[in-house]
Amino acid sequence: MRRGAQQIIPTIGGIEKMGLNDGFNPSTSYPSIPHVHSGVEFGDFKLEKGLQLKVPKTFRVLFMMWFVFSLGVLLVNLDELEMDQSRLISVYFSAPSLMTLALWLWGLNVYLWHEKMKLVPSPLVVFSERHTKSFANEDAIPHALDASAIFGIAGVMSVATATGAACFSKALKDENEMAASFYIFFFYVLAPLVIFFAPTENGFLFGTARKGLRVTISRIAAPTAHAISFADFFAADVLCSFAKSLSDVERVFCSAFQGHILSHAAEGACGDQSWRIPFVLCIPSAIRLFQCIRQRRDTGDELCFWNAVKYFSAFPVIWCSALKYHVDEDNWERLYRPMWFTFAVVNSSFSYYWDLTHDWDLPMVKKLVFPSSSSTQRSGSSNNIVAEIESNTENESFAPYGLRNNRLYKAPAVYYFACATNFMLRVSWTYKLAAHLRKNSRTVFFVSALEIVRRFQWSIFRIEKAYLKAKRAATNSRENSFINAI
């Protein structure tokens, strides 16, 4: 067995409930948790090398001062701009801002697992599952960054985005088309070219992480061409939270090709009436839909069909909203608006149920709908010691209400808070998919930011489920090998 595979096998009996400060039992089966700045392997997963380079405190202070100064300039310019001009800034800089927010939140997730909880192996091993031959070699495995590196990249992106938005607002105020075009070119052409096509040798600009990003994007762009790995559908799920940002990117390129960077009229070819907006909003859900179809074909699991139905339910929400600009006001108020509301309620309710029951593996909904039902025990072969231990450990009658016993995070309040906030943010998710509610750009940006927060809260518990599942599988494999040897 390869050394990487040996590292992810937990010790026998390591099924205890873990709290916020708990990890797996240390033993000779695990390496001691390193300070992950040295390219250390976690299972089959390798953290980015060369992260010992630290930014001097003086530079960090200067970056912070420049960030605050740029925000100040932006706010001053916003007060002097007209509403349509302010909306342009939201359209052009919403996607970079939300990507930066996502990086900060992902860094917090990694910091929680590595630095606070010190989990060994790292929960990031769930992204190293190899479902296809293309992931059978080291070069094809996505690589992870440590929290300090993620925070560093997020900090640079924060300063760059604030600076770009401030300069763009000044160009708007001065009606300087050439300067405005340069800033848009930098964020939407030059920066992506560097990220995806700059050399990756010797870890240049976090080359291994960029290589992994390229592999993942290429795989989700062809959702039925490969067997679906955890990294594939996780990335596509995150992309669903960026649906509004994708539609903003489409409007940016549309405006550039139309030759009016500084005159983004709502009723023009790139305006609210464009059919391209709902089409782009549908792309992330369509990717997940086709991924579910591929998973259903590969595994025969009926849950994949219902998961596909969940993503399909987003389409009526998007297209009914788009009809606002193509029907008269009476028909909208009498017919299409109630239809949009009904579809939105169905989609949000179904998605919330799926989050709790299947993505987080919490019996919360079952407890609420069937409070008198007895908990279902896990079945296993009579000679499998681990199955018996799991059955006792995961008996829901001994777990806090609506939760499971086998948890990474000790306090039940953490899960209850997540369930409550996930519900509220799921409702706001409908707002960002509604083309007819896009006129208040600041509100739309705020709601889109809340969706990013919800997604990375969701990811904490989604990865927890995958992590504990991998642990059970590794433990069962180890124990079965032991029993067979006897």
Side-chain angles (χ1 to χ4, degrees):
M1 184 179 295
R2 297 186 319 119
R3 182 173 63 89
Q6 290 175 331
Q7 289 181 342
I8 65 171
I9 298 178
T11 54
I12 300 174
I15 314 177
E16 71 286 353
K17 179 178 70 175
M18 292 175 292
L20 188 60
N21 296 318
D22 298 328
F24 286 100
N25 285 340
S27 71
T28 54
S29 299
Y30 296 133
S32 59
I33 185 76
H35 193 48
V36 285
H37 292 325
S38 55
V40 185
E41 289 188 8
F42 287 90
D44 290 332
F45 212 75
K46 190 182 298 179
L47 293 176
E48 178 66 278
K49 295 181 179 179
L51 299 183
Q52 289 181 327
L53 296 175
K54 295 183 179 180
V55 179
K57 184 176 181 180
T58 302
F59 283 96
R60 293 202 300 269
V61 173
L62 290 176
F63 266 75
M64 178 62 69
M65 293 175 60
W66 182 259
F67 175 73
V68 173
F69 172 75
S70 299
L71 283 183
V73 172
L74 175 61
L75 292 176
V76 170
N77 289 336
L78 283 175
D79 289 337
E80 300 176 4
L81 295 175
E82 297 178 359
M83 183 176 295
D84 288 343
Q85 291 176 314
S86 299
R87 189 182 180 192
L88 277 177
I89 297 176
S90 176
V91 170
Y92 289 147
F93 288 90
S94 174
S97 299
L98 293 177
M99 289 178 63
T100 302
L101 174 62
L103 271 176
W104 281 112
L105 294 173
W106 179 244
L108 287 174
N109 287 6
V110 176
Y111 179 82
L112 169 67
W113 297 322
H114 288 176
E115 304 296 334
K116 299 297 290 184
M117 300 179 69
K118 298 188 182 298
L119 295 176
V120 181
S122 164
L124 300 181
V125 297
V126 300
F127 292 100
S128 69
E129 295 174 316
R130 295 172 180 177
H131 295 278
T132 64
K133 293 182 180 179
S134 64
F135 274 71
N137 59 77
E138 288 294 320
D139 291 337
I141 300 176
H143 287 63
L145 295 174
D146 179 43
S148 61
I150 299 172
F151 289 147
I153 297 172
V156 172
M157 287 187 62
S158 299
V159 173
T161 303
T163 302
C167 294
F168 184 81
S169 65
K170 182 65 167 60
L172 273 177
K173 189 168 66 172
D174 298 340
E175 297 185 355
N176 189 336
E177 185 93 19
M178 182 65 69
S181 300
F182 170 77
Y183 302 130
I184 299 305
F185 173 81
F186 175 81
F187 278 97
Y188 287 94
V189 178
L190 185 60
L193 285 176
V194 171
I195 292 173
F196 291 106
F197 298 106
T200 59
E201 288 76 12
N202 300 319
F204 175 69
L205 292 178
F206 304 101
T208 50
R210 290 189 291 110
K211 183 187 295 185
L213 180 64
R214 285 206 307 257
V215 170
T216 301
I217 291 178
S218 65
R219 288 175 61 85
I220 65 175
T224 60
H226 313 88
I228 308 303
S229 69
F230 182 85
D232 294 336
F233 71 73
F234 183 87
D237 272 330
V238 172
L239 186 64
C240 288
S241 295
F242 283 93
K244 168 63 170 56
S245 297
L246 284 179
S247 70
D248 286 339
V249 171
E250 182 275 327
R251 300 182 92 173
V252 169
F253 282 100
C254 178
S255 297
F257 285 121
Q258 292 290 328
H260 47 75
I261 291 291
L262 298 185
S263 56
H264 188 78
E267 65 276 2
C270 306
D272 295 331
Q273 296 183 9
S274 172
W275 284 108
R276 289 188 298 271
I277 293 176
F279 176 79
V280 174
L281 286 172
C282 287
I283 289 177
S285 296
I287 290 174
R288 282 297 287 125
L289 172 65
F290 286 115
Q291 284 182 337
C292 292
I293 293 174
R294 174 62 194 248
Q295 284 182 301
R296 173 66 177 83
R297 189 183 75 183
D298 291 344
T299 65
D301 188 353
E302 288 298 325
L303 280 178
C304 296
F305 168 77
W306 293 110
N307 202 14
V309 172
K310 181 192 73 172
Y311 289 103
F312 183 83
S313 68
F315 299 154
V317 180
I318 296 171
W319 287 100
C320 279
S321 174
L323 289 174
K324 162 71 175 178
Y325 302 103
H326 302 277
V327 298
D328 59 66
E329 190 66 23
D330 289 340
N331 281 336
W332 167 253
E333 293 292 338
R334 179 175 53 84
L335 177 62
Y336 295 108
R337 186 176 181 179
M339 286 177 58
W340 170 79
F341 181 79
T342 302
F343 287 132
V345 169
V346 170
N347 174 260
S348 295
S349 302
F350 195 0
S351 299
Y352 180 71
Y353 158 77
W354 200 273
D355 286 344
L356 268 59
T357 305
H358 298 290
D359 288 346
W360 295 356
D361 199 22
L362 299 179
M364 180 80 67
V365 176
K366 185 183 71 174
K367 290 282 188 180
L368 292 174
V369 177
F370 306 106
S372 61
S373 63
S374 59
S375 60
T376 304
Q377 298 281 340
R378 292 182 181 267
S379 60
S381 58
S382 60
N383 65 337
N384 193 330
I385 301 174
V386 175
E388 181 180 353
I389 297 175
E390 282 190 11
S391 178
N392 294 331
T393 305
E394 303 233 359
N395 190 334
E396 294 169 10
S397 61
F398 297 102
Y401 182 83
L403 306 182
R404 41 183 160 73
N405 269 323
N406 197 16
R407 306 189 306 275
L408 279 181
Y409 317 111
K410 183 177 181 180
V414 172
Y415 293 85
Y416 295 140
F417 175 82
C419 292
T421 54
N422 188 68
F423 174 77
M424 292 184 288
L425 295 176
R426 269 293 183 187
V427 173
S428 70
W429 178 83
T430 302
Y431 190 100
K432 77 179 180 63
L433 288 182
H436 71 283
L437 299 176
R438 298 167 66 98
K439 291 186 177 181
N440 191 335
S441 58
R442 296 185 183 183
T443 302
V444 172
F445 176 79
F446 178 71
V447 171
S448 299
L450 288 179
E451 166 61 13
I452 301 302
V453 173
R454 186 202 69 81
R455 176 60 64 185
F456 284 91
Q457 175 185 264
W458 169 89
S459 69
I460 291 177
F461 301 97
R462 182 63 185 89
I463 290 177
E464 176 207 26
K465 176 193 172 182
Y467 188 50
L468 295 177
K469 179 180 178 181
K471 179 190 175 185
R472 281 197 302 268
T475 306
N476 284 340
S477 177
R478 179 72 171 268
E479 181 62 20
N480 286 335
S481 298
F482 175 76
I483 293 175
N484 291 335
I486 295 176

